[in-house]
Amino acid sequence: MASSLALDERALILAPSPLAADIARLLAGAGIDNLCALDLAQLQAGLAEGAGLAFIAEQVFDPGPSPLLQAFLDQQPNWSDLPIVLLTQGDRSVTASCHLPQGNLMRLAVPFEDAQLLQMAQFALRNRRRQYLVRDQLLDLQLRLQAQGITPGEARERSEFARHQARKMEAIGQLAGGVAHDFNNLLTSIGGSLELIERRLQQGRSDGVDTMLRMGREAVSRASRLTHRLLAFSSRQSLHSQRVDLHALLQSKRLMACVSPAVTLQVDIAQSLWPVEADGAQLQEALDNLLLNACEAMPSGGHLRIEASNQSIGAGHVTDGALCAGDYVRLRVIDDGQGMAQRTLEHAFEPFFSTKAIGQGIGLGLSMVYGFSKQSRGHVTLHSQIGQGTQVELYLPRHLGQAQASDEPMLPVQNGRGRRVLVVEDDPDVRQLLCQAMRENGCACHSAANASDGLKVLRSTRHVDLLLTDVGLPGMNGRQLAEIARNLRPSLSVLFITGYAETAMARDGFLEAGMHLLGKPFELQALQTLVNQILGRP
């Protein structure tokens, strides 16, 4: 590989002349060095000299695969993963999809937006720079180890560890960048809506305010879904573990509503299928994500098969120890779509990793499924090959024991008028909002910024019907506060609110009778309704 950084960052282009010229012009205008190849042989020669990425038109592979290109990709050193932008003709069906090279492929439909191509090129080059940085770090480490008299075996072990750490840091950087990108967009929508509303109010106008309010609320809703998926990936969401019957979840009518009309759906459910122990709502979201991914892999239609079967897992099972021995239900989602290359598979569960064009997906679907499976004491595997479709296997633990009767529904009341609520929340703005919502609901409200101040109220003679507390308080947390409060006032109802609290991830072990949990962010109307239900329980 050439040592010149400028040469290593060069983009190679192999496409029909007009398209290649347009791409070369755009790249040159952005300061990206590039070279147009006339054929695969010239492209191969350019790769041997050094390249940051390659743009290749899909029709180049119509006559057949390129052994030379595939050999180059297969023989890359461990630190290298050349990005290739595959230029596709819209929804053009490729009959020779198995001829495509297996590697780090990103698809870009032609015609494309200029900004879209440049964003993809800059993203690929940033990743390529990180690869070269890893190469240099490994070389430096190897030289230092040799100087210290380290044996070759020890050197390889340390080099592998360094490569693993570099890849982990790259994934963390990808996560941080993805979060920053999406939240900057959301904050722009929220802040812009508030600014426009403020201008209208200052001008004494109300026209258009409804539209601005709707835009702001929709941005908040998108932010809520984003944080939910991040917590799911990190296995830190609050799950309500329960008995789930998969027959209801796998009803053909419900599944057909989730797939495109061009996809043929087949559902095979084993007889006497065991119930699973999981959060029903999160399981449904995980399954819907898998169905969406499968349909996107078959843009022109195809066959999608869903299988559910009982599996008894013993030591040495193919899950490589990822599952404890026991009984599980395996959900298989199998499509005959485009498939993924091995290097794509290695990153598929990473958050914000996506092979879609910029703006067409945030890359959190599979990472959410991964985190949900781990937190549910299950496992997920992914098998795929280019041109041969993809198979996802989701294992969930069998529910043991009898079905439990559902909780007695809480009795709603018109409002909490005359009731007294103690609000304990360390964030002053959130605390003020909560108190205002309680007062508008007809409740008298005491407030405290921490558990110690809250205990002063509870130890006094002041009447309190409900303790409304954040879980993540500084010092003594909300759960510890509730335990002491129950010792002081055994019949006190408790409502926890939390954005994230590790101890609250499993609701069954966190909540006692008379305790409830509401995740942030929430609508004030939903909070008021829940408070009314709690206070209305006889």
Side-chain angles (χ1 to χ4, degrees), residues 20-242:
D22 286 342
I23 296 174
R25 174 182 54 81
L26 288 172
L27 296 178
I32 300 174
D33 186 24
N34 62 86
L35 173 67
C36 294
L38 298 177
D39 51 32
L40 276 168
Q42 192 173 13
L43 178 75
Q44 171 69 16
L47 291 175
E49 294 179 1
L53 78 157
F55 290 88
I56 307 178
E58 192 176 33
Q59 56 264 43
V60 168
F61 303 103
D62 283 351
S66 170
L68 290 178
L69 176 60
Q70 190 61 59
F72 173 86
L73 297 176
D74 292 340
Q75 294 170 11
Q76 293 179 96
N78 289 335
W79 58 264
S80 177
D81 190 14
L82 175 74
I84 297 177
V85 178
L86 192 67
L87 304 167
T88 64
Q89 294 296 321
D91 295 330
R92 171 178 176 264
S93 177
V94 181
T95 57
S97 59
C98 59
H99 297 164
L100 298 178
Q102 297 188 29
N104 183 9
L105 297 184
M106 297 177 288
R107 287 175 167 78
L108 178 64
V110 180
F112 47 77
E113 298 288 337
D114 292 356
Q116 185 182 23
L117 179 138
L118 290 176
Q119 284 179 323
M120 184 173 288
Q122 291 162 352
F123 174 79
L125 287 174
R126 282 197 300 270
N127 286 338
R128 190 64 166 161
R129 291 187 199 109
R130 295 192 188 102
Q131 293 174 24
Y132 291 129
L133 179 60
V134 170
R135 176 197 63 181
D136 295 340
Q137 290 173 339
L138 290 174
L139 179 59
D140 179 65
L141 176 62
Q142 184 178 8
L143 293 175
R144 286 190 285 112
L145 291 174
Q146 289 175 352
Q148 296 172 11
I150 304 297
T151 65
E154 292 174 328
R156 283 194 299 271
E157 183 177 344
R158 295 190 185 188
S159 296
E160 181 63 26
F161 176 76
R163 189 177 72 87
H164 173 73
Q165 290 295 102
R167 178 174 172 181
K168 184 167 66 174
M169 293 305 298
E170 181 179 349
I172 293 174
Q174 179 176 275
L175 171 60
V179 171
H181 174 271
D182 281 26
F183 267 105
N184 279 336
N185 286 339
L186 294 167
L187 290 172
T188 300
S189 297
I190 296 170
S193 299
L194 292 174
E195 184 178 349
L196 291 174
I197 291 171
E198 183 181 29
R199 290 182 189 175
R200 290 288 199 278
L201 294 177
Q202 290 174 347
Q203 297 167 359
R205 300 166 52 194
S206 61
D207 55 298
V209 170
D210 289 347
T211 300
M212 300 167 201
L213 285 172
R214 177 182 54 78
M215 290 171 56
R217 289 171 66 92
E218 287 177 352
V220 171
S221 179
R222 294 199 307 273
S224 176
R225 291 194 296 271
L226 176 59
T227 54
H228 159 68
R229 290 191 166 195
L230 288 171
L231 288 174
F233 159 72
S234 60
S235 299
R236 294 296 188 272
Q237 59 183 333
S238 179
L239 295 182
H240 178 42
S241 185
Q242 57 187 319

Side-chain angles (χ1 to χ4, degrees), residues 217-461:
R217 289 171 66 92
E218 287 177 352
V220 171
S221 179
R222 294 199 307 273
S224 176
R225 291 194 296 271
L226 176 59
T227 54
H228 159 68
R229 290 191 166 195
L230 288 171
L231 288 174
F233 159 72
S234 60
S235 299
R236 294 296 188 272
Q237 59 183 333
S238 179
L239 295 182
H240 178 42
S241 185
Q242 57 187 319
R243 182 184 191 272
V244 180
D245 184 357
L246 290 179
H247 288 86
L249 191 64
L250 298 178
Q251 287 182 350
S252 296
K253 183 177 181 181
R254 192 197 78 81
L255 296 175
M256 287 300 297
C258 301
V259 302
S260 60
V263 172
T264 302
L265 179 65
Q266 176 184 345
V267 181
D268 296 324
I269 302 178
Q271 292 184 348
S272 303
L273 187 69
W274 296 326
V276 299
E277 184 173 346
D279 184 305
Q282 303 308 318
L283 173 55
Q284 178 173 327
E285 183 173 353
L287 178 59
D288 290 349
N289 274 316
L290 295 179
L291 296 180
L292 176 62
N293 282 352
C295 290
E296 289 179 344
M298 301 181 290
S300 301
H303 185 73
L304 175 61
R305 187 164 80 254
I306 301 175
E307 300 176 355
S309 60
N310 300 329
Q311 299 289 319
S312 292
I313 304 298
H317 192 267
V318 290
T319 55
D320 296 327
L323 288 173
C324 298
D327 291 338
Y328 296 84
V329 170
R330 181 181 64 191
L331 272 176
R332 266 184 177 167
V333 179
I334 307 169
D335 67 66
D336 58 2
Q338 299 167 347
M340 288 181 278
Q342 180 60 37
R343 292 183 181 270
T344 302
L345 280 174
E346 293 174 358
H347 298 277
F349 289 124
E350 294 175 4
F352 292 99
F353 174 80
S354 177
T355 57
K356 301 176 186 176
I358 295 173
Q360 296 183 9
I362 60 174
L364 278 175
L366 280 178
S367 62
M368 175 265 173
V369 175
Y370 172 85
F372 165 73
S373 70
K374 294 302 180 185
Q375 193 175 353
S376 301
R377 296 178 293 109
H379 186 53
V380 62
T381 63
L382 189 61
H383 308 278
S384 185
Q385 290 185 9
I386 291 291
Q388 298 184 27
T390 301
Q391 173 179 296
V392 184
E393 294 183 345
L394 175 61
Y395 292 83
L396 293 169
R398 176 186 182 183
H399 180 275
L400 301 175
Q402 301 297 319
Q404 297 179 350
S406 59
D407 294 336
E408 179 185 354
M410 290 182 288
L411 301 176
V413 294
Q414 291 302 314
N415 55 50
R417 194 167 302 282
R419 304 298 184 98
R420 293 183 178 273
V421 178
L422 171 59
V423 174
V424 185
E425 166 62 59
D426 60 307
D427 186 294
D429 294 333
V430 176
R431 185 170 65 249
Q432 182 178 353
L433 282 173
L434 294 174
C435 289
Q436 183 65 31
M438 292 298 97
R439 293 186 181 110
E440 289 185 359
N441 205 38
C443 296
C445 189
H446 308 294
S447 67
N450 52 57
S452 297
D453 291 344
L455 283 176
K456 293 177 182 178
V457 177
L458 293 168
R459 287 180 173 133
S460 71
T461 58

